[in-house]
């Protein structure tokens, strides 16, 4: 993995940079000691590390604007950071950049139950958004596995999804407005507490832009009334491909579960050892959840079970209580952390048509045998958002490179069957050099011209998303 060469002229400005930042921020909000900056040297893609030149922790939009204006004047690149849970290296710094962390910006600014919106600072964690409204019977729908820690800022940057996005959509479907600060310090309001703002769909451009267009400091989010009830069912199979075919048949039948999650035997055993969720020991497990009234739940699950029985499941079990349902979901949401206890791993998120699940699962198995690396599959099956966890030994020379090569082949396979490189983790640095496999040079030029408009000097997260050779001429304009 290549990163841009460090600019010695920027390094030489460190004292001036720190002095100017200290004029607009409290002393504890400017971090420049080399040992302290190591806390920001990587995100959840821990295979790659680099301490930044400095890190700042503003508390509001005005302070963010002041920081960006100073960095713009000095020609210093800025890498925005939410909670550092990115699995694609989206918040990986360079030695000549400033990390701008939004963790201290975590206030609830407004709640309007009549209009079903909540406005928050974007350092607030995903789960705590629901925490702010659940006592009044509401919730925020997107639920990434890292929702206990991940920030709304990062969710917007990567257009995060989650287990329940099959019914409720991903971040872009639940985002109504943002306050965004451009690289020159200009503050812009886009959208608001209403649907379909007039003019260009700039909100759609911002959501998923990976911190390359501006720093989102406040967000207006849609909140929803809690459903009357919900119930998951566990469906076990003795074949990955058969489980994938069952998912495709459920979707084709027109049923819309809240979630369809997939785990293979490797992940089932890892999770069961950690969370004791009561999963059956089988080759593949589906967690299918529906919601509504008791009558609606019974009707939907009857149809889903009828479809599943055509595929000869080895286990078919409905949750019998809220406690059992909570354990089922605790296990699923613990999958990444549980895997991290036993192995280094790289998590991908290529997304494919649901009908191609059997083919891609077979392809991943073949690649695992080819490269000699274990792969655990755990993913959002209902919308084809794959999450293969490729396990490797970071202390074994060459293992990381082998893992990267295998991951590239998996992502290429996703594109070849009509899918895409990323569903919710973003491109970051992880998939940057594969962009040419999905997009033509003309496609990428059109995307980069959007960044030219928002960030003409290419100072915001400049080493991400696009191949470095493709962006070299633009990044060379940084002064």
């Amino acid at each position: 993995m290549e990163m841009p060469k460090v600019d010695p002229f920027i390094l030489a400005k460190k004292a001036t940079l720190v002095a100017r930042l200290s004029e607009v921020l409290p002393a504890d909000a400017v971090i420049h000691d080399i040992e302290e900056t190591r806390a920001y040297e990587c995100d959840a893609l821990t295979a790659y590390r680099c301490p930044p030149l400095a890190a700042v922790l503003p508390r509001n939009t005005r302070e963010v604007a002041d920081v960006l204006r100073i960095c713009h004047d000095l020609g210093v690149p800025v890498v925005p950071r939410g909670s550092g849970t990115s699995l694609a290296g989206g918040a990986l710094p360079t030695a000549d950049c400033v990390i701008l962390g939004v963790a201290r910006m975590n206030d609830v600014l407004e709640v309007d139950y009549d209009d079903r919106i909540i406005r928050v600072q974007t350092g607030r964690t995903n789960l705590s958004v629901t925490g702010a409204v659940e006592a009044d019977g509401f919730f925020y729908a997107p639920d990434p596995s890292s929702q206990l820690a991940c920030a709304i800022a990062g969710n917007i940057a990567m257009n995060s999804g989650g287990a329940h996005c099959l019914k409720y959509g991903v971040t872009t479907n639940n985002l109504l407005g943002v306050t965004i600060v451009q690289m020159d310090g200009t503050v812009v309001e886009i959208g608001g507490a209403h649907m379909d703002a007039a003019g260009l769909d700039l909100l759609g451009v911002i959501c998923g832009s990976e911190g390359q267009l501006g720093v989102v400091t406040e967000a207006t989010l849609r909140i929803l009334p809690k459903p009357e009830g919900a119930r998951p069912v566990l469906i076990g199979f003795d074949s990955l491909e058969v489980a994938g075919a069952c998912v495709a048949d459920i979707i084709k039948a027109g049923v819309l579960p809240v979630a369809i999650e997939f785990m293979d035997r490797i992940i089932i055993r890892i999770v069961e050892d950690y969370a004791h969720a009561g999963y059956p020991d089988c080759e593949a497990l589906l967690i299918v959840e529906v919601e509504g009234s008791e009558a609606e739940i019974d009707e939907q699950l009857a149809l889903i079970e009828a479809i599943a029985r055509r595929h000869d499941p080895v286990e078919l079990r409905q949750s019998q209580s809220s406690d059992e349902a909570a354990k089922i979901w605790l296990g699923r949401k613990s999958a990444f952390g549980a895997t991290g206890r036993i192995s280094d791993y790289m998590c991908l998120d290529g997304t494919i048509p649901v009908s191609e699940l059997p083919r891609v699962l077979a392809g991943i198995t073949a690649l695992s045998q080819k490269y000699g690396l274990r792969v655990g599959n755990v993913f959002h099956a209902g919308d084809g958002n794959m999450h293969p966890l490729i396990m490797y030994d970071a202390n074994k020379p060459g293992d990381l490179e082998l893992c990267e090569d295998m991951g590239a082949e998996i992502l290429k396979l996703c594109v070849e069957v009509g899918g895409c490189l990323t569903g919710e983790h973003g491109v970051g640095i992880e998939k940057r050099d594969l962009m040419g496999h999905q997009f033509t040079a003309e496609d990428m030029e059109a995307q980069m011209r959007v960044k030219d408009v928002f960030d003409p000097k290419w100072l915001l997260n400049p080493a991400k998303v696009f191949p470095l050779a493709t962006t070299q001429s633009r990044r060379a304009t940084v002064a």
Side-chain angles (χ1 to χ4, degrees):
M1 193 279 301
E2 181 187 4
M3 290 297 278
K5 292 181 180 179
V6 175
D7 188 335
F9 294 103
I10 294 176
L11 296 182
K13 299 176 184 178
K14 180 173 180 177
T16 301
L17 172 68
V18 170
R20 291 193 58 184
L21 291 172
S22 298
E23 292 173 358
V24 298
L25 295 174
D28 67 348
V30 181
I31 301 163
H32 56 90
D33 178 84
I34 182 62
E35 294 305 320
E36 294 181 356
T37 60
R38 290 192 186 281
Y40 302 93
E41 67 182 1
C42 70
D43 51 23
L45 187 65
T46 57
Y48 310 105
R49 300 167 184 265
C50 176
L53 187 64
V56 294
L57 300 172
R59 289 180 170 85
N60 53 52
T61 298
R62 178 185 58 78
E63 290 184 353
V64 170
D66 289 340
V67 167
L68 291 179
R69 193 174 297 112
I70 289 167
C71 291
H72 182 268
D73 291 347
L74 295 174
V76 177
V78 173
V79 174
R81 178 185 174 99
S83 296
T85 58
S86 170
L87 290 162
L92 179 70
T94 54
D96 55 1
C97 84
V98 169
I99 285 282
L100 193 158
V102 298
R104 293 182 178 177
M105 299 169 54
N106 54 20
D107 289 342
V108 172
L109 303 174
E110 178 187 2
V111 178
D112 186 331
Y113 292 122
D114 291 334
D115 288 336
R116 297 183 179 181
I117 62 101
I118 183 171
R119 189 164 62 91
V120 298
Q121 289 184 305
T122 56
R124 192 168 185 88
T125 59
N126 175 288
L127 189 60
S128 71
V129 174
T130 290
V133 297
E134 63 182 345
D136 294 304
F138 285 80
F139 75 108
Y140 177 59
D143 60 337
S145 294
S146 60
Q147 66 180 150
L148 183 65
C150 66
I152 292 299
N155 291 177
I156 294 170
M158 302 303 186
N159 191 21
S160 301
H164 292 82
C165 68
L166 178 59
K167 179 174 182 178
Y168 292 113
V170 293
T171 299
T172 193
N173 306 111
N174 294 274
L175 177 68
L176 298 174
V178 297
T179 300
I180 185 170
V181 186
Q182 294 179 263
M183 188 63 216
D184 64 359
T186 302
V187 179
V188 181
E189 301 284 345
I190 298 174
H194 51 277
M195 291 289 290
D196 297 329
L200 298 173
D201 181 19
L202 295 178
L203 193 62
V205 175
I206 297 300
C207 189
S209 61
E210 304 200 23
Q212 289 210 313
L213 306 183
V215 178
V216 177
T217 58
E218 298 175 10
T220 302
L221 309 171
R222 177 185 290 111
I223 53 175
L224 300 170
K226 287 182 180 178
E228 184 175 340
R231 192 188 313 157
V233 58
L234 298 177
I235 312 174
F237 295 93
D238 58 10
S239 162
L240 300 181
E241 292 77 17
V242 172
C246 181
V247 173
D249 284 352
I250 291 172
I251 298 300
K252 283 190 292 186
V255 188
L256 185 60
V258 185
I260 306 179
E261 296 295 293
F262 184 113
M263 288 186 282
D264 66 9
R265 186 187 293 275
I266 291 175
I267 296 298
I268 292 168
R269 289 180 171 176
I270 290 172
V271 167
E272 194 60 26
D273 286 345
Y274 174 75
H276 310 293
Y279 294 152
D281 189 20
C282 52
E283 284 301 317
L285 178 66
L286 300 181
I287 303 172
V288 184
E289 183 170 88
V290 299
E291 66 182 21
S293 67
E294 283 297 310
E296 289 173 319
I297 289 173
D298 289 341
E299 180 180 358
Q300 293 178 76
L301 286 182
L303 178 56
I304 289 167
E305 290 186 358
I307 295 169
R309 291 187 193 282
R310 297 202 294 265
H311 295 272
D312 298 320
V314 297
E315 179 134 3
L316 189 55
R317 184 197 336 148
Q318 288 190 29
S319 166
Q320 298 301 310
S321 68
S322 58
D323 287 344
E324 186 178 355
K327 286 182 69 175
I328 288 171
W329 281 114
L330 173 63
R332 167 59 185 90
K333 289 184 177 291
S334 299
F336 290 2
T339 304
R341 293 168 68 235
I342 65 167
S343 177
D344 301 300
Y345 69 84
M346 182 173 289
C347 175
L348 308 175
D349 73 314
T351 300
I352 62 172
V354 174
S355 60
E356 296 289 348
L357 278 171
R359 174 181 169 186
V360 172
L361 287 167
I364 291 173
T365 299
L367 288 169
S368 176
Q369 295 168 351
K370 172 183 174 181
Y371 283 90
L373 296 174
R374 294 178 75 203
V375 180
N377 288 290
V378 51
F379 57 90
H380 312 313
D383 60 355
N385 188 189
M386 308 292 289
H387 284 38
L389 306 184
I390 308 173
M391 300 177 215
Y392 70 100
D393 184 350
N395 296 314
K396 182 179 177 181
D399 235 29
L400 173 59
E401 291 74 17
L402 198 65
C403 177
E404 290 175 327
D405 290 344
M406 180 179 168
E409 287 209 48
I410 291 175
L411 292 173
K412 288 177 181 178
L413 174 61
C414 291
V415 173
E416 286 164 8
V417 301
C420 59
L421 294 173
T422 177
E424 59 174 338
H425 295 172
V427 175
I429 61 164
E430 178 196 46
K431 310 175 188 78
R432 180 188 62 194
D433 296 327
L434 293 172
M435 284 285 281
H437 194 77
Q438 179 175 343
F439 299 103
T440 65
E442 291 77 14
D443 292 333
M444 286 190 282
E445 176 62 24
Q447 295 174 47
M448 291 187 292
R449 287 176 66 183
V450 174
K451 180 168 174 59
D452 291 340
V453 173
F454 283 82
D455 179 24
K457 290 188 176 184
W458 274 65
L459 289 171
L460 274 169
N461 228 4
K464 313 295 167 53
V465 181
F466 304 104
L468 294 182
T470 304
T471 62
Q472 174 59 40
S473 61
R474 285 171 160 92
R475 288 182 291 104
T477 63
V478 174

